[in-house]
Amino acid sequence: MTKDTKDRKPGNWRPQTMMVRGGTTRSEHGETSEALFLNSGFVYDSPEEQSARMAGEKAGYIYSRYANPTVRMLEERLCLLEGAEDCRATASGMAAIHTMLVAPVKPGDRIVAPRALFSSCIWILKNVMPKMGVEVTWVDGSDPKEWERALSKPCRFVLIETPSNPMLDAVDIRMVADLTHAAGGELIVDNVFASPILQRPLELGADWVVYSTTKHMDGQGRTLGGAILGKAKAIEDNIQQYYRHTGPSMSPFNAWIVLKGLETMDLRVRAMSANARKIADRLAGNPKITAVRYPGRSDHPHHNIHAAQMPEAGGSMVAFSLKGGREAAFGMLNKLGLVDISNNLGDAKSLITHPATTTHRTLTDEERAAIGLDDTWVRLSVGLEDPEDIVEDIERAL
Ligand SMILES: *Cc1c(COP(=O)(O)O)cnc(C)c1O
């Protein structure tokens, strides 16, 4: 390792430059691209050196479950992008959220969360947290009164997702951050749908940001991964030991792919958002479609909050509701020739899913009703194809 970007004042770089260069360290060979350190262990010159490193008295790599040079480059680049002090990359988005929720809590703690969350997050809150003696309070994320009531007594964490999956609801990050802090808690934002290009939760008062790097950061459907970002001391005190000893670590190979993905993420997310906007506007005028939800459109029920938090663009996700319910939705999905049926998102390829029977299948009817999701809705992740081809494909299928 010779040049560290820390010597090159990355703080002065603009985001796009950081996404191409931030966090890069070069080996003695001076390679152009980030090196892939696909190794599990590290060797030492002496037992003294090994013992000092393992005691934490000397800096240096020990074992890739703890840290790895390629994974570290990704973690540092993500810190620069997000404006965070430190980061731990994980094997998947759910490994990040699981570690984030489980590592710091103790029996008697309370977590508050909106009902509109990624379904695996709901599963953890419903099935894992009670086993640890942690109480969970559910709220309607768009109702300030429910937030005020839920946060009028102490809480350890609030976990939110905005825009939410699949209805693209908005949660007011600043308002919830203030209420969370007044209740003595910390706010975690799952920022996957917006990506760091369009929304910056730490600047809006959040304490932690979690990602699935599987989505826009990889962006080409290759790897699973995740990340936890926050204050250095908070990670040291709450996350570090759990991460080292339980092993949710990201593979160096996946970290290398995501590093390369970040180089083009700004271009991809902006192009996908522009495509999504065009498609949402076209679908809104289609007589077979009863409603379109897109954060950037003024007819979205939470448009004002989205516009304040994601001022530049509405993101790459569109939800729409079909006349004729599930039968019509399945009929349309079966007739698509270009857009693929898939529950993934943030990919260069446009992907579509019927949430009520797939990603949100495990929710009860009441839980689905509480987030406004029924059989009529489909969720489209808009990719990088020509938007005219995507619209034509959907119109033909309708
Ligand atoms: C995909 C996703 C996750 C989980 O990430 P994985 O990488 O699939 O484990 C969590 N939250 C949101 C909002 C997601 O879209």
Side-chain angles (χ1 to χ4, degrees):
M1 295 288 135
T2 51
K3 277 186 204 147
D4 189 321
T5 45
K6 284 204 172 107
D7 305 329
R8 294 190 253 149
K9 298 203 172 41
N12 298 337
W13 290 347
R14 290 164 188 84
Q16 173 57 25
T17 307
M18 292 202 286
M19 274 180 279
V20 176
R21 292 181 172 271
T24 307
T25 46
R26 289 192 167 120
S27 80
E28 69 275 26
H29 303 300
E31 62 282 351
T32 315
S33 171
E34 297 74 4
L36 170 52
F37 288 88
L38 196 56
N39 58 303
S40 46
F42 297 83
V43 299
Y44 313 89
D45 288 339
S46 66
E48 289 81 4
E49 171 73 21
Q50 181 182 23
S51 141
R53 272 199 222 173
M54 294 196 80
E57 290 154 8
K58 278 187 90 173
Y61 291 101
I62 300 167
Y63 190 53
S64 287
R65 167 151 45 80
Y66 304 176
N68 166 283
T70 307
V71 177
R72 195 61 201 154
M73 284 193 248
L74 173 65
E75 291 170 342
E76 296 209 345
R77 190 170 294 177
L78 290 176
C79 284
L80 292 169
L81 245 180
E82 198 69 41
E85 288 177 7
D86 206 357
C87 173
R88 289 293 175 276
T90 57
S92 67
M94 287 323 301
I97 294 166
H98 180 252
T99 303
M100 180 70 245
L101 291 176
V102 170
V105 296
K106 57 181 188 332
D109 281 350
R110 197 167 68 97
I111 296 179
V112 179
R115 291 178 194 93
L117 275 186
F118 190 71
S119 59
S120 294
C121 298
I122 296 177
W123 191 90
I124 293 177
L125 291 173
K126 282 207 298 199
N127 296 284
V128 180
M129 300 327 287
K131 282 194 217 172
M132 313 201 60
V134 174
E135 185 198 335
V136 179
T137 305
W138 300 95
V139 297
D140 172 347
S142 59
D143 183 349
K145 293 231 159 51
E146 285 203 22
W147 281 114
E148 275 167 33
R149 199 174 322 126
L151 293 170
S152 61
K153 49 181 187 164
C155 91
R156 177 71 180 87
F157 286 122
V158 172
L159 170 67
I160 62 172
E161 190 187 307
T162 180
S164 72
N165 181 25
M167 300 303 287
L168 309 171
D169 286 340
V171 179
D172 185 334
I173 298 175
R174 171 78 63 193
M175 176 201 72
V176 175
D178 290 346
L179 290 171
T180 305
H181 296 152
E186 292 164 49
L187 174 62
I188 308 163
V189 177
D190 177 339
N191 202 35
V192 169
F193 271 44
S195 89
I197 305 298
L198 301 179
Q199 182 169 269
R200 303 179 56 79
L202 296 180
E203 287 172 7
L204 297 168
D207 303 282
W208 301 87
V209 180
V210 286
Y211 283 105
S212 163
T213 64
T214 316
K215 314 293 167 57
H216 302 89
M217 291 185 181
D218 175 303
Q220 291 165 74
R222 297 160 294 189
T223 61
L224 280 173
I228 301 171
L229 292 123
K231 290 244 158 45
K233 186 168 186 323
I235 289 187
E236 179 68 32
D237 293 349
N238 292 281
I239 305 291
Q240 176 60 12
Q241 291 305 315
Y242 192 91
Y243 179 93
R244 277 175 87 139
H245 299 297
T246 65
S249 334
M250 181 185 268
S251 147
F253 183 76
N254 289 2
W256 180 76
I257 298 267
V258 176
L259 273 165
K260 306 314 288 175
L262 289 180
E263 293 181 355
T264 57
M265 180 169 68
D266 187 86
L267 302 171
R268 286 185 286 103
V269 167
R270 288 182 199 283
M272 287 154 80
S273 295
N275 284 356
R277 173 75 213 219
K278 276 188 205 151
I279 292 164
D281 288 346
R282 287 276 289 277
L283 295 181
N286 191 300
K288 298 212 168 118
I289 290 174
T290 46
V292 170
R293 277 208 170 197
Y294 182 66
R297 277 176 59 88
S298 57
D299 60 358
H300 188 294
H302 310 143
H303 173 68
N304 290 346
I305 300 174
H306 280 313
Q309 297 180 165
M310 301 177 17
E312 289 181 67
S316 58
M317 305 298 291
V318 182
F320 54 97
S321 163
L322 295 177
K323 247 178 216 154
R326 173 178 161 164
E327 218 174 299
F330 276 31
M332 183 203 62
L333 263 59
N334 276 317
K335 289 194 202 85
L336 290 168
L338 168 69
V339 179
D340 291 310
I341 301 169
S342 172
N343 44 284
N344 201 3
L345 62 101
D347 199 279
K349 294 183 169 61
S350 292
L351 307 172
I352 198 162
T353 194
H354 182 251
T357 54
T358 60
T359 53
H360 290 66
R361 172 183 48 87
T362 56
L363 271 61
T364 63
D365 289 344
E366 296 75 53
E367 284 168 337
R368 274 194 294 272
I371 62 167
L373 173 65
D374 62 31
D375 269 359
T376 66
W377 287 90
V378 294
R379 185 197 78 185
L380 174 67
S381 168
V382 177
L384 290 173
E385 304 94 338
D386 189 311
E388 286 303 321
D389 287 329
I390 303 169
V391 169
E392 274 174 25
D393 193 39
I394 293 172
E395 283 176 351
R396 202 181 303 125
L398 284 167

